[in-house]
Structure formats: C-alpha cells, structure tokens
Amino acid sequence: GKPEAGLVLPMNSSYRVEDAELPLEAVMDTVSFAPASIPESIPMEKVMENIVQNLDFKSWSGSSRTAWFKDFKLPPSRAVMNDTFWFCICWYFKSGRHKEVEKRLFNRISANFVFLFEAIKSSRKDFFFRYYADGVAQAVLYAMFLEYPKSRANFTEGFRRDLVIRISYWTAGICPEFVDTSHWKLNLGGGD
C-alpha cells in the first residue's frame, strides 16, 4: 500500500539523484511483493508509450507492437520497472549505503519477473522478452532523467549500456556484448 502522508518527502524535493529519498515501500517488506512507487511527477504512461515507439521490432506488424505494449504494461512488469528504478538509485548513486534495501528490491524484482513470465502467453514469450530488458532500461533511465534534472550528466552512454547489460543478465541470464542505445529518444511532446 501507499505510505502515510508525511512519511516520504514530497516528490521532486531533490533534483539530484544522489539526494533521492527512498520511499517507505523500498525500505520495508511489502505484502505480496508490491513494488515501491515511482515518483508521481513522472508521466510513466507517456514514458512507456515513448519506449514502445523507440523499440525496433524489425518487420513485425503493428499488431505485434500493440500486443508487446499490452504485455509491457501488465502489473508485474510495472512492478519490475518500479523496483528496478529504486534498485538502480541505490546501486549506482548510493553505493554500499543500502545493501539490505538492494537485496529486498532485487528479491521483489525477481518475484515479479516470475509473475510476469507466467502471465505472458507461451506463443508471445520469445518475442516479448527479446525486447524487455531494453524497455525496462529505457524506463529506468527516462524516469531518472525526468525526476533528477541536475543529475543528467551522470546518465551517460556508458550508464545506459550498463543498465541494458544488468537488466539483460537479470531477465535472460546473458550479458550482451554489443549494446546499442542510439534508438533511445525521450519524446514526451511539448518540446521536451
């Protein structure tokens, strides 16, 4: 559930990722592997729409893209994205300071990934998971980019590649040798 009002600093009270306050759901165990919330100021619906447009589905049809996007928005997928966002804040920007939180978040990411894997139809699993690590990595990057504008210099090409490699390792058991993030374009409309 949501923490009581006042227990968490107002979202975007920090413009630097290094100063981010972890939400209560990140530091405590939750019921049924419920994820920590992503800051409400991040327009995740638009971010997710942007991601599905960025992915190169090769010669797959528009209906394949639609089916992929529907699966990407499933609750266990959103849970993976949310807790991966907070895990990455701890791992990359608060290194060594929240080892127990990282462990708790990773366990929830793992459990929700299993729930997601079970939720995807067998006939779509290969297609969906081929692009999943890239999609989650984009979601994490864009959420950090939008929430922590004074830290944007940290979100380098190397950071982006490392996100894809880490999430690929978690979700597919492989570390891709060649990672291309040149298709990542944050376009939320309105000239941003």
Side-chain angles (χ1 to χ4, degrees):
K2 292 247 181 210
E4 293 180 32
L7 290 178
V8 178
L9 289 177
M11 293 304 166
N12 224 351
S13 63
S14 156
Y15 292 99
R16 292 174 357 117
V17 68
E18 302 85 352
D19 300 329
E21 292 288 329
L22 302 176
L24 197 55
E25 306 102 324
V27 298
M28 294 178 46
D29 286 325
T30 59
V31 178
S32 301
F33 303 104
S37 298
I38 278 189
E40 291 179 10
S41 58
I42 300 169
M44 280 310 287
E45 291 303 316
K46 282 189 170 193
V47 166
M48 291 170 71
E49 289 169 12
N50 193 84
I51 291 166
V52 76
Q53 294 306 314
N54 285 345
L55 292 174
D56 181 6
F57 289 105
K58 311 281 185 236
S59 61
W60 291 88
S61 68
S63 62
S64 295
R65 182 182 299 270
T66 301
W68 188 92
F69 189 48
K70 182 180 172 196
D71 291 338
F72 191 59
K73 295 190 311 182
L74 288 172
S77 179
R78 289 174 182 260
V80 167
M81 285 183 264
N82 287 13
D83 279 343
T84 300
F85 171 84
W86 293 111
F87 179 94
C88 289
I89 287 175
C90 292
W91 179 264
Y92 291 104
F93 302 103
K94 297 174 176 287
S95 186
R97 298 192 341 225
H98 297 286
K99 294 235 181 250
E100 285 302 310
V101 173
E102 289 172 17
K103 183 178 174 182
R104 179 177 298 108
L105 290 168
F106 183 77
N107 288 341
R108 286 201 316 239
I109 292 164
S110 300
N112 281 302
F113 181 77
V114 170
F115 299 148
L116 175 63
F117 191 82
E118 292 173 348
I120 305 295
K121 288 182 181 179
S122 295
S123 62
R124 292 202 313 258
K125 276 186 185 355
D126 286 345
F127 175 68
F128 178 75
F129 289 109
R130 180 179 311 145
Y131 303 99
Y132 189 66
D134 187 311
V136 173
Q138 285 187 63
V140 169
L141 174 78
Y142 297 154
M144 286 183 183
F145 184 87
L146 293 169
E147 188 67 9
Y148 306 110
K150 290 187 177 179
S151 293
R152 289 178 180 166
N154 295 321
F155 309 141
T156 63
E157 183 65 27
F159 176 73
R160 294 170 189 211
R161 279 194 310 270
D162 197 68
L163 279 177
V164 173
I165 291 168
R166 177 171 311 284
I167 296 165
S168 292
Y169 182 69
W170 289 352
T171 60
I174 60 161
C175 294
E177 185 175 354
F178 302 104
V179 175
D180 179 20
T181 60
S182 63
H183 60 284
W184 292 16
K185 307 280 187 258
L186 181 59
N187 179 4
L188 302 179
D192 44 47

